[in-house]
Amino acid sequence: MLLGHFGVAAGVKSRERQLPLWSLMVATQWLDILFVPLLAMGIETIDDAPGTDGGYGEAIIHADYTHSLAGAIVLCALFGLFFARRWNRRAGLVLGGVAFSHWLLDLIVHRQDMPLLPGNLGGFSRVGLGLWESPGVSIAIELILLFVGCALYWRAARSTIAVSGSARQRATLVTGLMLIAGLLTLGLDLAGL
Ligand SMILES: [Zn+2]
């Protein structure tokens, strides 16, 4: 689930015009951005799901801090707070919310590997609805999120900007680039990279 997150960013952009697209893109990936250095340090890890070769969605992700429910709430609140201070309250609320949407989408696809508390404190059972076990459905949902998000963005961008030809062309170009980047991401994901 990478591409689905980007679709959310594009869709929200169509409603929250004042927020730059990059801030929404960063928001949807915030938890994974923090995951990367922890992965490099070996604090969080990825294993192949039992009986798989680690392809699309065939992973058990031990992101016990960044993707624990409590950890994600705190990290997304900090993210929102940063932009609330820099820009305004509304920007902070929207970006914090979009950042947390990452956890909710991950909850749908992950195989029961997301703890409630950081480091799986208390040993509660981990959560994850495991849609990755049906890769076809999971890929379809990711594609739908991407296409719907891009379509909403494209429509909003074309309807609000001045009717100058170059601005319209730019809206189409940006939408096209988002689609290509999204599909490329899925391609890499499918290739297991
Ligand atoms: Zn994630």
Side-chain angles (χ1 to χ4, degrees), residues 35 39 44-50 52-55 57-62 111 113:
F35 170 64
L39 180 68
E44 297 194 337
T45 55
I46 305 182
D47 289 325
D48 289 356
T52 71
D53 57 6
E58 295 179 332
I60 300 287
I61 301 169
H62 300 287
R111 297 155 194 260
D113 56 11

Side-chain angles (χ1 to χ4, degrees), residues 32 67 102 106:
D32 280 359
H67 286 59
H102 179 104
D106 274 6

